[in-house]
Amino acid sequence: MARRLRSEKTEVPMSAMIDVVFLLLVFFIATKKPNIPEAHVAINMPSPNPSTSTDIPPPPLMEVHVLPNGRYMLLGRARKSLDQFEELFIDIALNNPDSTVIIKVAPDATEGDLVDLLDRASKANLHNLNVMMLAGG
């Protein structure tokens, strides 16, 4: 008897394929390393030989308070004239141009008073100016 070959459709078991796909998905999620953007930032490290560093003192700090009603305070003493500040700024700029001036502004002071003081400091060629708001108000 001759045997006839029938063309039978073979079915692929889908449940095994789905299991493999989920296992691969879990593997790739678990092994992914997040990119750290800061990892590629260049950092300037200090030299390993500390004896070569020079002990240069930091430039002096001067603190000025801008108060309401056009009042200013320097070293705990109230000053009204901006001309006094301009002369002081010029003296500081001539002695040490890298000096830092910290300007603390009262919350109820006007912007015009701050701008006038900044203009005087700019005329004296002081460039390290820090402006901050006083607490309270």
Side-chain angles (χ1 to χ4, degrees):
M1 263 207 238
R3 207 165 169 196
R4 240 180 182 187
L5 295 174
R6 290 187 269 156
S7 64
E8 293 180 8
K9 290 185 179 179
T10 58
E11 291 187 23
V12 178
M14 291 302 292
S15 62
M17 285 182 143
I18 291 173
D19 290 344
V20 170
V21 167
F22 280 122
L23 284 173
L24 286 173
L25 180 67
V26 168
F27 172 77
F28 288 124
I29 289 174
T31 59
K32 174 156 178 18
K33 291 183 182 178
N35 287 338
I36 301 173
E38 293 86 13
H40 305 289
V41 175
I43 298 174
N44 294 329
M45 299 295 288
S47 64
N49 189 359
S51 63
T52 60
S53 66
T54 58
D55 292 331
I56 300 173
L61 294 175
M62 185 174 77
E63 190 173 300
V64 178
H65 293 256
V66 179
L67 303 172
N69 301 325
R71 295 179 298 138
Y72 302 93
M73 186 181 295
L74 173 68
L75 301 173
R77 295 185 0 217
R79 309 209 180 197
K80 285 198 169 193
S81 171
L82 282 174
D83 295 330
Q84 292 175 343
F85 280 106
E86 187 171 358
E87 292 170 6
L88 183 64
F89 288 156
I90 290 171
D91 289 340
I92 290 171
L94 289 175
N95 293 333
N96 192 350
D98 293 331
S99 295
T100 301
V101 178
I102 300 173
I103 302 171
K104 294 185 176 181
V105 184
D108 48 351
T110 62
E111 295 87 7
D113 295 335
L114 173 62
V115 170
D116 291 340
L117 188 67
L118 290 172
D119 286 341
R120 300 294 175 112
S122 178
K123 283 181 190 176
N125 290 327
L126 286 174
H127 301 289
N128 293 333
L129 302 173
N130 297 317
V131 178
M132 61 187 295
M133 182 72 75
L134 285 173

